[in-house]
Amino acid sequence: MSHGPGLVRTTCSSGSAPGAGAGPGQLGASSSEGLLDPVYPRTHAALLKVAQMVSLLIAFICVRNSLWTSYSAYSYFEVVTICNLIMILAFYLVHLFRLYRVLTCISWPLSELLHYLIGTLLLLIASIVAASKSYNQSRLVAGAIFGFLATFLCLASVWLSYKISCVTQSTDAAV
């Protein structure tokens, strides 16, 4: 019995899935519910996105209103926090207004996963650099701490939203 290459499957549990019993045949019935999803803002995924946006905004404000000790380090930190904030807001609005139903050409779970992986890595690097260049200035330290908090929240979002399992497939042909 030989085993071929492994297959990686990802499943998303973002909390914005259609209600129970809503299959592909009931798309017309579910589109009459309205443009806004009233349930999504109360889900764990939405609350986590709001917490991420708030911590990123606080980190940006703390660094923006302080005396910089390293221009390149803090301009990088500002760019990373604002870009992450805008992208998280975009995904929040996609789920809130159910745009994933209209724009089916985009794999939303995959694009959100890639955003979180890349954005979290960049935010971690920016927070480490900001913390190392803060020189005990309270606003810069606070900005770095909120950057680390946002990094942790992004990691929690990836951990809670995506289940990654490796399954090996058999290449034997049944005789």
Side-chain angles (χ1 to χ4, degrees), residues 125-162:
I125 293 169
S127 298
I128 290 171
V129 170
S132 67
K133 301 275 185 175
S134 65
Y135 300 113
N136 293 326
Q137 291 187 9
S138 61
R139 291 180 187 162
L140 296 178
V141 171
I145 289 172
F146 277 103
F148 284 120
L149 177 64
T151 302
F152 173 74
L153 291 172
C154 288
L155 284 174
S157 182
V158 170
W159 182 262
L160 295 174
S161 296
Y162 298 95

Side-chain angles (χ1 to χ4, degrees), residues 4 17 55 62 73 75 83 125 155 164:
S55 63
C62 286
S75 60
C83 287
I125 293 169
L155 284 174
I164 300 175

